[in-house]
Amino acid sequence: MAIAVPKRRPALRSLAQRPWLTRLIVIAVLFALWEVAARFLVDPLFLSPPSQVIASLDKVFDTRGVPAALQLTLFELTVAFVLAVAIGLALGLAIGLQPLVRRSFFPIVLLLYGMPQVTILPLFILFFGIGAASKIAFGVTHGVFPVIVTVVAGVQNLKPILLTGARSMGASRWQIFRHVIFPHMVPSFFAGMRLAMSGVLLGVLLAELYVSIAGIGYFTTLFTQNFDPTKLLGLIGVLAAMAIVLNAVVRRAENHFARWRAE
Amino acid sequence: MAGRGASRLIQAGFLAGLVVVWYLATTRWGVNRLLLPNPVAVYDNLSDILRSGEFIGDLETTLGELAAAFAISATGGITLGYLISRSRYWIEVFEPLFAAVYSIPIILFLPLFVLFFGLGPASKIALGASISFFPIVINTIAGFGHVDRLFVTAARSMGASDYHLFRHVLLPAASPVILTGLRMGFTTALLSIIGSETLASLAGLGHRIVHLAEAMEMARMFAYIVFVIAIAVTLNAVVSRLEAHGKRD
């Protein structure tokens, strides 16, 4: 008995083999819905269609102060990231290498990591002022904890046999650190850097949105209060793109340096 | 080898030392009271707040926003996650999309929500729901998507209907991962709501802290900060306990 198999139309078949294509179509459909809703259903004071947003991007950049604000925000992000990684690495090594220190201070670190830091945002502004310093500081406090935690974990997960082997071959403490502990910790460290980048992005952007005199937070407030959803969406789009690029860079670095990981 | 006692002692000593330094800094060493309030004043304000019940209005606002946001994101996330997880193809289409959006700090969209919904609770609920939606849906897809095919085949061969399959096979198998997603969603919702109240709001705990900061009432602000941290820690502990309880078995 011949079983009738329904012949899939060729177009659907090629879609079924290419999920990435369907993904693009889904995104296109969402954009289309946004376009229709913004044009016909929602008051233009509150929402702009994507066509208008993209067309007006040059006007966003022409607004006096926006390019400088974007540069300032990028500067704050970079400085905060470098500081968070450096401080996190130093503290992580200090805490992770000595068992007694680790047992005493790691719980405190975890407690601080879980604290809702956004409650002390006004405090940071009072302490550091409304300039770039408070944004950098708030970014650092968000980014430093993942680095500490991952560095401590990386140092701890060392197989004892590696340490015994190195010591039995007469390695000094410095040599053990440089050739056994440090390379072993690097993959975790890079994972920590990826989390640090997310944290720094969150911290700096939160502080910017709270109070800003020359950063992008100033302009998001300006566009909101002027009921200018076109420029607001354009600016948010640029910032979102910046966040995606920064995250991708750190993720690439992590994949590159973690390649030799033994699992 | 130093035992657990030594580390506990160091912890206690460290924390006690911090409080002592704080006290000395404000009373003896002349740190400006406008920067760092006296710990005794903070304690007095805290007991005053708790006794007078001044916190109740703001607490109600914040918790109400949290409940609404989490309800929306939990039902939406689990439903959408289940529907997507029914087909391997749609999992492959949607999962990277959700992961990519989750990597952007969605707090960026707060000005848009404020423009759209105003300064009231609606914008906070919308933002909280948007942010907490993603860990829930991602974890739900992972949970339902990775159920061992053997269970499904066995149940179907015994004649299980769609409903039976869902209730007795899929749901129990996926629930640990889904519960983790719900916990993550709850925590992020709480953080986002307090954050958005700090940034742009007329009421709620976050707004109260900002209000006191602008009035330079440092001791009372510190008291509220301690209060909010205590609430957040308690809620997180409760949710973690629920998650662990749900995973038991």
Side-chain angles (χ1 to χ4, degrees):
Chain A
M1 184 165 63
I3 301 170
V5 174
K7 227 357 177 8
R8 267 233 180 99
R9 280 184 299 177
L12 279 183
R13 212 82 141 321
S14 64
L15 265 191
Q17 284 163 352
R18 295 185 182 76
W20 59 267
L21 195 53
T22 317
R23 216 175 292 139
L24 286 176
I25 295 180
V26 168
I27 297 178
V29 165
L30 286 172
F31 267 79
L33 284 173
W34 173 9
E35 178 86 30
V36 165
R39 259 189 216 278
F40 304 114
L41 298 172
V42 181
D43 191 327
L45 266 185
F46 300 120
L47 190 64
S48 284
S51 52
Q52 203 180 333
V53 171
I54 297 177
S56 313
L57 265 182
D58 60 330
K59 267 200 268 175
V60 172
F61 284 108
D62 275 340
T63 314
R64 204 161 59 98
V66 167
L70 286 168
Q71 267 178 350
L72 178 63
T73 307
L74 204 58
F75 170 73
E76 290 165 354
L77 286 169
T78 316
V79 173
F81 181 69
V82 168
L83 278 178
V85 168
I87 298 176
L89 182 61
L91 283 178
L93 287 174
I95 294 179
L97 286 174
Q98 284 279 30
L100 180 61
V101 176
R102 188 183 69 238
R103 273 203 307 274
S104 316
F105 287 102
F106 196 56
I108 299 181
V109 168
L110 286 179
L111 201 68
L112 289 173
Y113 191 9
M115 196 192 83
Q117 286 183 34
V118 74
T119 44
I120 53 176
L121 175 55
L123 215 58
F124 270 81
I125 305 295
L126 283 172
F127 283 171
F128 292 98
I130 53 177
S134 50
K135 323 290 188 306
I136 294 175
F138 203 56
V140 168
T141 50
H142 272 112
V144 77
F145 290 104
V147 180
I148 297 179
V149 168
T150 47
V151 166
V152 168
V155 167
Q156 251 193 299
N157 284 336
L158 200 54
K159 287 202 200 58
I161 185 118
L162 293 171
L163 280 177
T164 324
R167 224 173 273 140
S168 73
M169 286 187 261
S172 73
R173 279 201 66 174
W174 166 249
Q175 281 173 321
I176 291 180
F177 176 74
R178 165 105 176 60
H179 295 283
V180 181
I181 298 180
F182 191 74
H184 192 85
M185 173 207 78
V186 164
S188 297
F189 176 53
F190 273 84
M193 285 216 290
R194 175 174 47 89
L195 291 168
M197 179 53 89
S198 307
V200 163
L201 273 168
L202 183 65
V204 169
L205 288 174
L206 267 177
E208 275 284 342
L209 288 174
Y210 178 57
V211 69
S212 178
I213 44 168
I216 47 104
Y218 173 76
F219 288 99
T220 54
T221 312
L222 184 69
F223 296 151
T224 307
Q225 289 175 343
N226 287 345
F227 280 94
D228 196 344
T230 313
K231 293 222 193 99
L232 181 63
L233 280 165
L235 186 59
I236 292 181
V238 171
L239 290 167
M242 191 165 62
I244 293 178
V245 167
L246 286 171
N247 273 327
V249 165
V250 186
R251 212 173 339 126
R252 260 319 151 71
E254 181 195 2
N255 287 334
H256 178 82
F257 281 97
R259 259 183 318 182
W260 70 271
R261 202 193 316 215
E263 272 123 17
Chain B
M1 185 169 74
R4 284 192 63 189
S7 58
R8 283 262 179 261
L9 212 56
I10 296 182
Q11 277 169 5
F14 180 71
L15 293 170
L18 271 181
V19 176
V20 167
V21 166
W22 178 10
Y23 182 75
L24 285 176
T26 50
T27 49
R28 295 286 180 87
W29 297 339
V31 172
N32 195 334
R33 218 174 355 117
L34 287 178
L35 274 185
L36 196 64
N38 194 322
V40 177
V42 172
Y43 177 75
D44 286 335
N45 271 290
L46 185 57
S47 23
D48 177 57
I49 293 169
L50 291 175
R51 242 180 316 115
S52 66
E54 180 190 281
F55 62 91
I56 290 188
D58 294 315
L59 186 64
E60 265 178 5
T61 310
T62 306
L63 290 183
E65 292 164 354
L66 177 61
F70 186 63
I72 296 175
S73 61
T75 40
I78 294 184
T79 313
L80 194 60
Y82 171 65
L83 290 173
I84 292 179
S85 71
R86 298 197 66 168
S87 146
R88 211 135 286 289
Y89 178 71
W90 287 113
I91 293 180
E92 221 192 305
V93 168
F94 277 103
E95 220 254 329
L97 272 182
F98 289 134
V101 176
Y102 193 39
S103 69
I104 313 173
I106 305 185
I107 192 88
L108 264 183
F109 289 86
L110 179 62
L112 200 64
F113 284 120
V114 170
L115 181 60
F116 210 74
F117 292 105
L119 286 173
S123 47
K124 323 291 175 294
I125 296 175
L127 184 79
S130 307
I131 296 185
S132 61
F133 172 78
F134 288 95
I136 295 179
V137 77
I138 291 175
N139 275 42
T140 306
I141 292 178
F144 280 128
H146 290 140
V147 174
D148 197 335
R149 287 282 132 192
L150 192 59
F151 296 155
V152 180
T153 323
R156 287 276 191 218
S157 73
M158 284 188 263
S161 69
D162 260 355
Y163 170 71
H164 271 127
L165 186 69
F166 178 77
R167 176 130 163 34
H168 296 285
V169 178
L170 292 178
L171 199 54
S175 62
V177 181
I178 298 181
L179 281 173
T180 304
L182 285 175
R183 184 201 23 100
M184 285 170 60
F186 186 83
T187 327
T188 42
L190 178 60
L191 285 178
S192 322
I193 283 176
I194 297 181
S196 48
E197 281 177 356
T198 308
L199 294 178
S201 181
L202 300 169
L205 290 171
H207 166 78
R208 172 69 59 177
I209 293 178
V210 169
H211 182 73
L212 290 168
E214 287 170 1
M216 299 293 277
E217 286 196 43
M218 301 300 289
R220 211 164 184 81
M221 180 180 83
F222 266 69
Y224 263 101
I225 290 177
V226 168
F227 178 66
V228 171
I229 293 180
I231 297 273
V233 165
T234 316
L235 282 174
N236 285 339
V238 166
V239 170
S240 293
R241 194 58 75 78
L242 284 173
E243 181 199 1
H245 183 84
K247 283 186 179 177
R248 226 174 10 110
D249 265 341

